[in-house]
Amino acid sequence: MTNVSAELDSRFRAAAAEEGLLDVAYDVVDSPLGELFVGISDRGLCVISYEADPDAQVERLARGFGSRVLRSTRPVDPARRQLDEYFEGKRKRFDLDVDLRLARDFGRTVLEELGRVPFGEVTTYGELAARAGKPRAARAVGTIMNRNPVPIVLPCHRVVGANGSLVGYAGGLERKHQLLRLEGALLA
Amino acid sequence: MEPVRIPPFETFYEEHKDPVFAHLRRLLGQGAEDAFQETFLRALRAYPELRNGRHLRAWVFTIATRVAIDETRRRRPMASPWLHELAVEDGLPPHAELGHLTDNLPPKERAAVVLRYGFDLPYDEIAAALGSSEDAARQATSSGVRRLRERSKRS
């Protein structure tokens, strides 16, 4: 059987994105924290995951955003570039649209507040809860951070416990540590 | 039967891209690349309307076959390449407009006739393209030919 060449394959994947036919275009992006699975919908960045194995991610995206999920490099390029710059220490703010359509109510408010926590600073779960209008909801904020659809870009690594401990991170505490060190928010 | 869930497009595409490309290569030879892209773009456009994931292979083979027919017409709009063989096999007079003649056949018969006599596909591949059994592919082909023959007698 004649197989599809790599060139023809990427030509189709590019055309599919260019014609605006995809619910989500995704690619795997290299980073100092390991491979990142990055997905872009028609509204913007909709997923960054440390779980780079595509199969489970693709299924999840299809359920949330629509069945037309396809690996396609070009739509992911702006996010890839900005992540590269961030990890090289050349970027402090991401200039990307974020698609939070799957987040509801309080979860969405919290994620929007999270986006305002600046590079190199940390806040606490309780503080973030208060900024989102529910000062007693620190625990709920912890859950929302754990399910942050776009870590790094929405900086849940900047949220720590009231006593300064790192508490937890969906990508593992070591990664949270690395990110805070990169931003100069931790000395060691 | 319970409808089968539609897989994410990535899964569908990875599963079918090589057999579809091989099918288009058999139908078109050179130039199968453009037809390949067009086939999967059409599939992508229609994908949200799909309600059942059961016959995806037949579905995409049918799209590919239609794309190949369009492409063949575009290349040689007047004299379609399958005319000669059809004339030989069935004693039909060569007809410069067979493309249009088969337009009036029921879709399955039309596809079967074109695949058999236009592209010289064996019945097992026609069956795969139509999503039916080999017997059904044979039947569709012969009843398509019979219908064409009756029409040509009348005209």
Side-chain angles (χ1 to χ4, degrees), chain B residues 79-104:
Chain B
S80 305
W82 53 76
L83 290 181
H84 181 67
E85 286 180 60
L86 188 63
V88 169
E89 295 234 15
D90 293 282
L92 276 176
H95 195 300
E97 295 284 303
L98 184 67
H100 295 292
L101 201 67
T102 57
D103 271 348
N104 297 322

mmCIF file of all heavy atoms in Angstrom, chain B residues 79-104:
data_model
loop_
_atom_site.group_PDB
_atom_site.id
_atom_site.type_symbol
_atom_site.label_atom_id
_atom_site.label_comp_id
_atom_site.label_asym_id
_atom_site.label_seq_id
_atom_site.Cartn_x
_atom_site.Cartn_y
_atom_site.Cartn_z
ATOM 1 N N ALA B 79 -14.400 13.315 -23.062
ATOM 2 C CA ALA B 79 -14.241 11.879 -23.258
ATOM 3 C C ALA B 79 -13.754 11.233 -21.968
ATOM 4 O O ALA B 79 -12.593 11.274 -21.646
ATOM 5 C CB ALA B 79 -13.248 11.621 -24.383
ATOM 6 N N SER B 80 -14.661 10.641 -21.245
ATOM 7 C CA SER B 80 -14.273 10.023 -19.984
ATOM 8 C C SER B 80 -13.535 8.718 -20.250
ATOM 9 O O SER B 80 -13.852 8.001 -21.183
ATOM 10 C CB SER B 80 -15.516 9.758 -19.147
ATOM 11 O OG SER B 80 -16.226 10.960 -18.995
ATOM 12 N N PRO B 81 -12.540 8.397 -19.433
ATOM 13 C CA PRO B 81 -11.646 7.279 -19.737
ATOM 14 C C PRO B 81 -12.315 5.919 -19.648
ATOM 15 O O PRO B 81 -11.795 4.944 -20.142
ATOM 16 C CB PRO B 81 -10.543 7.412 -18.695
ATOM 17 C CG PRO B 81 -11.159 8.194 -17.590
ATOM 18 C CD PRO B 81 -12.166 9.095 -18.227
ATOM 19 N N TRP B 82 -13.465 5.828 -18.964
ATOM 20 C CA TRP B 82 -14.054 4.499 -18.805
ATOM 21 C C TRP B 82 -14.967 4.119 -19.976
ATOM 22 O O TRP B 82 -15.475 3.021 -20.028
ATOM 23 C CB TRP B 82 -14.831 4.422 -17.498
ATOM 24 C CG TRP B 82 -15.850 5.495 -17.323
ATOM 25 C CD1 TRP B 82 -17.059 5.589 -17.913
ATOM 26 C CD2 TRP B 82 -15.729 6.631 -16.483
ATOM 27 N NE1 TRP B 82 -17.697 6.709 -17.492
ATOM 28 C CE2 TRP B 82 -16.912 7.375 -16.621
ATOM 29 C CE3 TRP B 82 -14.717 7.099 -15.618
ATOM 30 C CZ2 TRP B 82 -17.125 8.561 -15.938
ATOM 31 C CZ3 TRP B 82 -14.934 8.276 -14.937
ATOM 32 C CH2 TRP B 82 -16.119 8.998 -15.098
ATOM 33 N N LEU B 83 -15.158 5.029 -20.909
ATOM 34 C CA LEU B 83 -16.073 4.751 -22.011
ATOM 35 C C LEU B 83 -15.676 3.508 -22.780
ATOM 36 O O LEU B 83 -16.477 2.632 -23.048
ATOM 37 C CB LEU B 83 -16.059 5.928 -22.991
ATOM 38 C CG LEU B 83 -16.691 7.191 -22.467
ATOM 39 C CD1 LEU B 83 -16.644 8.263 -23.532
ATOM 40 C CD2 LEU B 83 -18.120 6.896 -22.060
ATOM 41 N N HIS B 84 -14.406 3.463 -23.094
ATOM 42 C CA HIS B 84 -13.918 2.402 -23.948
ATOM 43 C C HIS B 84 -14.174 1.038 -23.340
ATOM 44 O O HIS B 84 -14.743 0.154 -23.979
ATOM 45 C CB HIS B 84 -12.433 2.610 -24.210
ATOM 46 C CG HIS B 84 -11.874 1.561 -25.103
ATOM 47 N ND1 HIS B 84 -12.240 1.451 -26.429
ATOM 48 C CD2 HIS B 84 -10.995 0.559 -24.862
ATOM 49 C CE1 HIS B 84 -11.603 0.433 -26.965
ATOM 50 N NE2 HIS B 84 -10.849 -0.128 -26.038
ATOM 51 N N GLU B 85 -13.803 0.892 -22.077
ATOM 52 C CA GLU B 85 -13.940 -0.417 -21.443
ATOM 53 C C GLU B 85 -15.390 -0.827 -21.324
ATOM 54 O O GLU B 85 -15.729 -1.985 -21.499
ATOM 55 C CB GLU B 85 -13.317 -0.383 -20.055
ATOM 56 C CG GLU B 85 -11.811 -0.383 -20.127
ATOM 57 C CD GLU B 85 -11.220 -0.346 -18.736
ATOM 58 O OE1 GLU B 85 -11.505 -1.294 -17.972
ATOM 59 O OE2 GLU B 85 -10.521 0.612 -18.417
ATOM 60 N N LEU B 86 -16.245 0.134 -21.014
ATOM 61 C CA LEU B 86 -17.654 -0.196 -20.874
ATOM 62 C C LEU B 86 -18.182 -0.710 -22.208
ATOM 63 O O LEU B 86 -18.912 -1.687 -22.268
ATOM 64 C CB LEU B 86 -18.434 1.037 -20.419
ATOM 65 C CG LEU B 86 -19.888 0.781 -20.048
ATOM 66 C CD1 LEU B 86 -19.958 -0.173 -18.859
ATOM 67 C CD2 LEU B 86 -20.597 2.075 -19.707
ATOM 68 N N ALA B 87 -17.763 -0.043 -23.281
ATOM 69 C CA ALA B 87 -18.201 -0.451 -24.610
ATOM 70 C C ALA B 87 -17.737 -1.869 -24.912
ATOM 71 O O ALA B 87 -18.492 -2.691 -25.428
ATOM 72 C CB ALA B 87 -17.651 0.518 -25.650
ATOM 73 N N VAL B 88 -16.512 -2.171 -24.576
ATOM 74 C CA VAL B 88 -15.978 -3.489 -24.864
ATOM 75 C C VAL B 88 -16.709 -4.559 -24.052
ATOM 76 O O VAL B 88 -17.162 -5.555 -24.584
ATOM 77 C CB VAL B 88 -14.467 -3.533 -24.535
ATOM 78 C CG1 VAL B 88 -13.958 -4.974 -24.585
ATOM 79 C CG2 VAL B 88 -13.708 -2.666 -25.531
ATOM 80 N N GLU B 89 -16.866 -4.318 -22.747
ATOM 81 C CA GLU B 89 -17.410 -5.355 -21.890
ATOM 82 C C GLU B 89 -18.892 -5.613 -22.129
ATOM 83 O O GLU B 89 -19.359 -6.702 -21.906
ATOM 84 C CB GLU B 89 -17.198 -4.982 -20.415
ATOM 85 C CG GLU B 89 -15.740 -4.952 -20.059
ATOM 86 C CD GLU B 89 -15.446 -5.827 -18.862
ATOM 87 O OE1 GLU B 89 -16.288 -6.669 -18.487
ATOM 88 O OE2 GLU B 89 -14.368 -5.656 -18.299
ATOM 89 N N ASP B 90 -19.618 -4.589 -22.479
ATOM 90 C CA ASP B 90 -21.057 -4.758 -22.547
ATOM 91 C C ASP B 90 -21.645 -4.485 -23.921
ATOM 92 O O ASP B 90 -22.854 -4.451 -24.056
ATOM 93 C CB ASP B 90 -21.718 -3.836 -21.519
ATOM 94 C CG ASP B 90 -21.365 -4.309 -20.127
ATOM 95 O OD1 ASP B 90 -21.978 -5.276 -19.687
ATOM 96 O OD2 ASP B 90 -20.436 -3.732 -19.536
ATOM 97 N N GLY B 91 -20.788 -4.289 -24.882
ATOM 98 C CA GLY B 91 -21.289 -4.044 -26.217
ATOM 99 C C GLY B 91 -22.087 -2.774 -26.356
ATOM 100 O O GLY B 91 -22.859 -2.620 -27.284
ATOM 101 N N LEU B 92 -21.944 -1.887 -25.366
ATOM 102 C CA LEU B 92 -22.636 -0.612 -25.493
ATOM 103 C C LEU B 92 -21.906 0.268 -26.499
ATOM 104 O O LEU B 92 -20.687 0.223 -26.575
ATOM 105 C CB LEU B 92 -22.650 0.120 -24.154
ATOM 106 C CG LEU B 92 -23.747 -0.256 -23.164
ATOM 107 C CD1 LEU B 92 -23.510 0.511 -21.874
ATOM 108 C CD2 LEU B 92 -25.113 0.086 -23.740
ATOM 109 N N PRO B 93 -22.627 1.079 -27.255
ATOM 110 C CA PRO B 93 -21.938 2.000 -28.149
ATOM 111 C C PRO B 93 -21.158 3.025 -27.330
ATOM 112 O O PRO B 93 -21.628 3.437 -26.275
ATOM 113 C CB PRO B 93 -23.081 2.688 -28.906
ATOM 114 C CG PRO B 93 -24.269 2.546 -28.014
ATOM 115 C CD PRO B 93 -24.079 1.274 -27.255
ATOM 116 N N PRO B 94 -19.979 3.386 -27.788
ATOM 117 C CA PRO B 94 -19.248 4.439 -27.097
ATOM 118 C C PRO B 94 -20.120 5.683 -27.027
ATOM 119 O O PRO B 94 -20.816 5.994 -27.980
ATOM 120 C CB PRO B 94 -18.025 4.686 -27.996
ATOM 121 C CG PRO B 94 -17.932 3.491 -28.858
ATOM 122 C CD PRO B 94 -19.302 2.934 -29.005
ATOM 123 N N HIS B 95 -20.138 6.296 -25.945
ATOM 124 C CA HIS B 95 -21.018 7.433 -25.725
ATOM 125 C C HIS B 95 -20.194 8.554 -25.108
ATOM 126 O O HIS B 95 -19.643 8.402 -24.029
ATOM 127 C CB HIS B 95 -22.155 7.019 -24.800
ATOM 128 C CG HIS B 95 -23.283 7.995 -24.813
ATOM 129 N ND1 HIS B 95 -23.143 9.305 -24.464
ATOM 130 C CD2 HIS B 95 -24.590 7.825 -25.155
ATOM 131 C CE1 HIS B 95 -24.311 9.912 -24.573
ATOM 132 N NE2 HIS B 95 -25.206 9.036 -24.997
ATOM 133 N N ALA B 96 -20.116 9.656 -25.810
ATOM 134 C CA ALA B 96 -19.228 10.728 -25.376
ATOM 135 C C ALA B 96 -19.686 11.363 -24.061
ATOM 136 O O ALA B 96 -18.962 12.115 -23.443
ATOM 137 C CB ALA B 96 -19.117 11.796 -26.452
ATOM 138 N N GLU B 97 -20.890 11.058 -23.648
ATOM 139 C CA GLU B 97 -21.401 11.726 -22.454
ATOM 140 C C GLU B 97 -21.734 10.731 -21.358
ATOM 141 O O GLU B 97 -22.685 10.926 -20.604
ATOM 142 C CB GLU B 97 -22.657 12.540 -22.822
ATOM 143 C CG GLU B 97 -22.384 13.681 -23.777
ATOM 144 C CD GLU B 97 -21.708 14.850 -23.060
ATOM 145 O OE1 GLU B 97 -22.290 15.338 -22.081
ATOM 146 O OE2 GLU B 97 -20.604 15.237 -23.460
ATOM 147 N N LEU B 98 -20.975 9.678 -21.262
ATOM 148 C CA LEU B 98 -21.323 8.675 -20.256
ATOM 149 C C LEU B 98 -21.341 9.266 -18.845
ATOM 150 O O LEU B 98 -22.142 8.864 -18.005
ATOM 151 C CB LEU B 98 -20.359 7.491 -20.300
ATOM 152 C CG LEU B 98 -20.748 6.382 -19.317
ATOM 153 C CD1 LEU B 98 -22.055 5.731 -19.731
ATOM 154 C CD2 LEU B 98 -19.662 5.347 -19.167
ATOM 155 N N GLY B 99 -20.454 10.209 -18.613
ATOM 156 C CA GLY B 99 -20.456 10.883 -17.321
ATOM 157 C C GLY B 99 -21.838 11.373 -16.967
ATOM 158 O O GLY B 99 -22.366 11.105 -15.890
ATOM 159 N N HIS B 100 -22.481 12.044 -17.923
ATOM 160 C CA HIS B 100 -23.824 12.571 -17.674
ATOM 161 C C HIS B 100 -24.859 11.461 -17.647
ATOM 162 O O HIS B 100 -25.822 11.518 -16.903
ATOM 163 C CB HIS B 100 -24.192 13.592 -18.749
ATOM 164 C CG HIS B 100 -23.315 14.799 -18.688
ATOM 165 N ND1 HIS B 100 -23.366 15.679 -17.635
ATOM 166 C CD2 HIS B 100 -22.344 15.252 -19.514
ATOM 167 C CE1 HIS B 100 -22.471 16.643 -17.825
ATOM 168 N NE2 HIS B 100 -21.831 16.392 -18.960
ATOM 169 N N LEU B 101 -24.627 10.455 -18.469
ATOM 170 C CA LEU B 101 -25.545 9.321 -18.501
ATOM 171 C C LEU B 101 -25.622 8.654 -17.127
ATOM 172 O O LEU B 101 -26.703 8.377 -16.615
ATOM 173 C CB LEU B 101 -25.046 8.321 -19.549
ATOM 174 C CG LEU B 101 -26.061 7.337 -20.104
ATOM 175 C CD1 LEU B 101 -27.112 8.085 -20.921
ATOM 176 C CD2 LEU B 101 -25.342 6.320 -20.972
ATOM 177 N N THR B 102 -24.473 8.418 -16.528
ATOM 178 C CA THR B 102 -24.484 7.752 -15.220
ATOM 179 C C THR B 102 -25.007 8.672 -14.133
ATOM 180 O O THR B 102 -25.370 8.205 -13.066
ATOM 181 C CB THR B 102 -23.078 7.249 -14.824
ATOM 182 O OG1 THR B 102 -22.188 8.347 -14.822
ATOM 183 C CG2 THR B 102 -22.591 6.179 -15.762
ATOM 184 N N ASP B 103 -25.037 9.988 -14.394
ATOM 185 C CA ASP B 103 -25.595 10.916 -13.415
ATOM 186 C C ASP B 103 -26.991 10.522 -12.974
ATOM 187 O O ASP B 103 -27.393 10.782 -11.853
ATOM 188 C CB ASP B 103 -25.673 12.330 -14.009
ATOM 189 C CG ASP B 103 -24.386 13.092 -13.764
ATOM 190 O OD1 ASP B 103 -23.564 12.607 -12.959
ATOM 191 O OD2 ASP B 103 -24.209 14.151 -14.383
ATOM 192 N N ASN B 104 -27.766 9.924 -13.887
ATOM 193 C CA ASN B 104 -29.155 9.613 -13.563
ATOM 194 C C ASN B 104 -29.347 8.274 -12.873
ATOM 195 O O ASN B 104 -30.456 7.916 -12.519
ATOM 196 C CB ASN B 104 -30.003 9.666 -14.834
ATOM 197 C CG ASN B 104 -30.011 11.068 -15.414
ATOM 198 O OD1 ASN B 104 -30.054 12.034 -14.656
ATOM 199 N ND2 ASN B 104 -29.929 11.175 -16.727
#
